[in-house]
Amino acid sequence: MRRRTLLTGAAAAAGAVAFGLNPVANAQRPGASQAPDLLLGDYPVVGRVRARRAVEHLRVLSERIGQRIGGTESEHRARDYLARVLRDLRYRVELQPFSVPDKYLSTLTLPDKSRWNAGASRFGALDTTASGPLLDADTGADLPADVTGKVVLLVNVPTGSTAVYDAVARGAAAVLIGRVSTPPAGKTGAFSPTLTSTVAVPVLGVAQVHVERLRAARPARLTVSTTHHPSLTSYNVIAERPATFGGKGVVMVTAHYDSVPGSPGANDDGSGTALTLELARVLRHLPTHKALRFALWGSEEQGLLGSRHYVSQLTDVDAALISGVFQNDMVATSHGPATAYWLLSVDGGDNNTTREVAAAAGRLGYDPRVHGPVARGSSDHVPFHERKIAAANFSWRGEGGPHELEPLYHTPEDTIAANVSVERLQVSLELIGAAAYRLARTRG
């Protein structure tokens, strides 16, 4: 036991020597209240994590792949990329499959050949293409008697309105349904409309930005297509490295890598996914008493399906070995008011993960920016909490509470350019990296 302690200390000391004079590790952090007062084991993490490296992964996910819809080819492309990165880092990687519900998706193609992703109604025509001049019918209250061959745009249709059915009956080639909200409410995303009866033309649910752009551009013609994706399989990507000193515990760093229809999901949750990959790089060779496990969940946006499947497969013995789950969801928004870094446990209680992140914030001088723990579900820490495993979600949100999300959440505008702060991503990396590594170095 004494020899192991000496070895751990020697490895940490080596990291301190390597990074002790590094201004990146020792300088006061952006937005911090004071200069850092780091523990020996913090140096190999804080001195090496780089948000710019994480952003390169984020570019692949949100720009090269784009929307990543659970169970579809788009999510599978992301799965393959994540697995390849983790295998290149010499982790043992497992792809864990599970079934997910059918998806109903659509695309809009403009005269300039630009393409937008949206949702489709399963009650409209599927696996088909339609085109025609765009007619902005607003709420549909003054819908013309003849809309033959037109793609009809309906916006903020009142509850109980028959505007969709009226447009179809009057000859519409397709119907677009949009919702436009006004500040302080966030912008609306794409969706799959629910109808009370089936119609014979495509019916799409478009995002607010799509409505705004269509009204600004007024394209002469629009082509829409719908696709039904049946019999889908989504995947969790699990990577692990054993404890250096043969310990039995496990520390998990996690995020979900899927997104909602129409959204490239840069902050939600490409940011958490990129953070997980960067920490996997930095922590891969550092000495620990616990195993490190990095998990990237599929199909979170459909109801935490990936994490629920994973937890359901754990034996009681496996569950008892997990010392903490650091779930990272929306960890890099550039939204101005989102200046608070929230510690979110399901019941608002403190646990191994919230305690370690709060302690890391104190050592790094970030503590004024860190709030909580407070009660909040709605992410992949929930299934672990239900299994009595210490877990929390970590996220940048407004000072007024964790309900204050950025307005671009779940929209096509959740892009790197519009919704990602490299500085906040760096803070997240340092907090989770220092916290997870300290927990992994702890015996028992």
Side-chain angles (χ1 to χ4, degrees), residues 141-164:
D142 298 314
L143 188 71
D146 184 4
V147 295
T148 299
K150 292 183 170 58
V151 176
V152 176
L153 173 64
L154 298 171
V155 182
N156 291 349
V157 177
T159 301
S161 169
T162 61
V164 173

Side-chain angles (χ1 to χ4, degrees), residues 2-20:
R2 173 66 174 163
R3 183 170 180 270
R4 288 181 177 179
T5 302
L6 290 173
L7 286 171
T8 305
V17 170
F19 301 109

Side-chain angles (χ1 to χ4, degrees), residues 67 104-108 116-122 175-177 189-193 203-207 210 225-227 261-262:
Q67 70 169 10
Y104 304 89
L105 305 175
S106 64
T107 60
L108 295 80
W116 303 341
N117 295 310
S121 176
R122 65 186 181 91
V175 178
L176 311 182
I177 303 175
F191 62 103
S192 294
V203 177
L204 281 61
V206 299
H210 295 150
S225 61
T226 58
T227 306

Side-chain angles (χ1 to χ4, degrees), residues 191-266:
F191 62 103
S192 294
T194 298
L195 305 177
T196 56
S197 61
T198 301
V199 297
V201 304
V203 177
L204 281 61
V206 299
Q208 180 166 334
V209 67
H210 295 150
V211 174
E212 295 167 349
R213 290 173 181 173
L214 288 172
R215 286 178 163 174
R218 297 186 180 277
R221 194 170 187 84
L222 190 65
T223 299
V224 301
S225 61
T226 58
T227 306
H228 172 208
H229 299 266
S231 306
L232 298 178
T233 301
S234 186
Y235 292 82
N236 295 325
V237 181
I238 315 294
E240 184 167 333
R241 46 142 289 195
T244 312
F245 304 117
K248 293 184 178 180
V250 176
V251 172
M252 297 185 66
V253 178
T254 67
H256 74 86
Y257 68 97
D258 64 313
S259 72
V260 297
S263 177

Side-chain angles (χ1 to χ4, degrees), residues 42-371:
D42 293 329
Y43 285 93
V45 179
V46 174
R48 294 181 63 216
V49 291
R50 296 289 184 272
R52 294 290 179 185
R53 277 182 174 267
V55 169
E56 292 309 306
H57 296 303
L58 187 50
R59 291 196 188 284
V60 174
L61 294 169
S62 66
E63 295 178 353
R64 192 183 307 171
I65 297 174
Q67 70 169 10
R68 304 173 297 281
I69 310 304
T72 69
E73 186 271 341
S74 60
E75 190 195 54
H76 294 170
R77 289 177 62 201
R79 170 206 65 193
D80 293 344
Y81 174 76
L82 301 175
R84 183 167 63 252
V85 169
L86 291 164
R87 286 183 178 126
D88 286 347
L89 292 172
R90 299 296 184 262
Y91 282 90
R92 183 178 70 235
V93 177
E94 173 192 358
L95 301 181
Q96 185 182 55
F98 55 96
S99 298
V100 295
D102 293 5
K103 302 296 186 300
Y104 304 89
L105 305 175
S106 64
T107 60
L108 295 80
T109 304
L110 279 68
D112 64 2
K113 305 303 181 183
S114 59
R115 289 165 58 90
W116 303 341
N117 295 310
S121 176
R122 65 186 181 91
F123 300 98
L126 298 170
D127 298 316
T128 190
T129 299
S131 62
L134 179 68
L135 171 65
D136 184 351
D138 198 38
T139 64
D142 298 314
L143 188 71
D146 184 4
V147 295
T148 299
K150 292 183 170 58
V151 176
V152 176
L153 173 64
L154 298 171
V155 182
N156 291 349
V157 177
T159 301
S161 169
T162 61
V164 173
Y165 306 101
D166 294 341
V168 174
R170 298 175 192 184
V175 178
L176 311 182
I177 303 175
R179 302 166 179 160
V180 173
S181 64
T182 56
K187 288 191 171 185
T188 58
F191 62 103
S192 294
T194 298
L195 305 177
T196 56
S197 61
T198 301
V199 297
V201 304
V203 177
L204 281 61
V206 299
Q208 180 166 334
V209 67
H210 295 150
V211 174
E212 295 167 349
R213 290 173 181 173
L214 288 172
R215 286 178 163 174
R218 297 186 180 277
R221 194 170 187 84
L222 190 65
T223 299
V224 301
S225 61
T226 58
T227 306
H228 172 208
H229 299 266
S231 306
L232 298 178
T233 301
S234 186
Y235 292 82
N236 295 325
V237 181
I238 315 294
E240 184 167 333
R241 46 142 289 195
T244 312
F245 304 117
K248 293 184 178 180
V250 176
V251 172
M252 297 185 66
V253 178
T254 67
H256 74 86
Y257 68 97
D258 64 313
S259 72
V260 297
S263 177
N267 188 45
D268 183 20
D269 186 26
S271 63
T273 301
L275 174 148
T276 301
L277 293 177
E278 172 64 359
L279 290 184
R281 179 188 71 85
V282 169
L283 297 175
R284 59 184 165 157
H285 295 314
L286 296 183
T288 65
H289 287 283
K290 296 182 177 71
L292 284 166
R293 186 177 299 158
F294 299 89
L296 297 162
W297 313 119
S299 295
E300 184 268 358
E301 298 290 4
Q302 284 74 55
L304 318 181
L305 299 185
S307 56
R308 287 198 179 281
H309 176 76
Y310 177 83
V311 172
S312 74
Q313 302 302 301
L314 293 173
T315 66
D316 289 342
V317 171
D318 291 336
L321 289 174
I322 301 175
S323 298
V325 179
F326 297 84
Q327 168 67 22
N328 303 276
D329 200 344
M330 304 170 66
V331 296
T333 181
S334 59
H335 179 52
T339 56
Y341 184 85
W342 286 93
L343 318 181
L344 307 172
S345 59
V346 174
D347 59 2
D350 224 358
N351 62 48
N352 283 348
T353 63
T354 56
R355 277 191 295 272
E356 289 293 355
V357 172
R363 300 195 300 275
L364 286 158
Y366 287 133
D367 41 338
R369 306 180 75 173
V370 173
H371 298 250

Side-chain angles (χ1 to χ4, degrees), residues 390-409:
N393 179 32
F394 303 93
S395 182
W396 288 99
R397 305 183 184 204
E399 294 281 349
H403 60 284
E404 294 185 355
L405 299 169
E406 72 264 24
L408 303 185
Y409 162 70

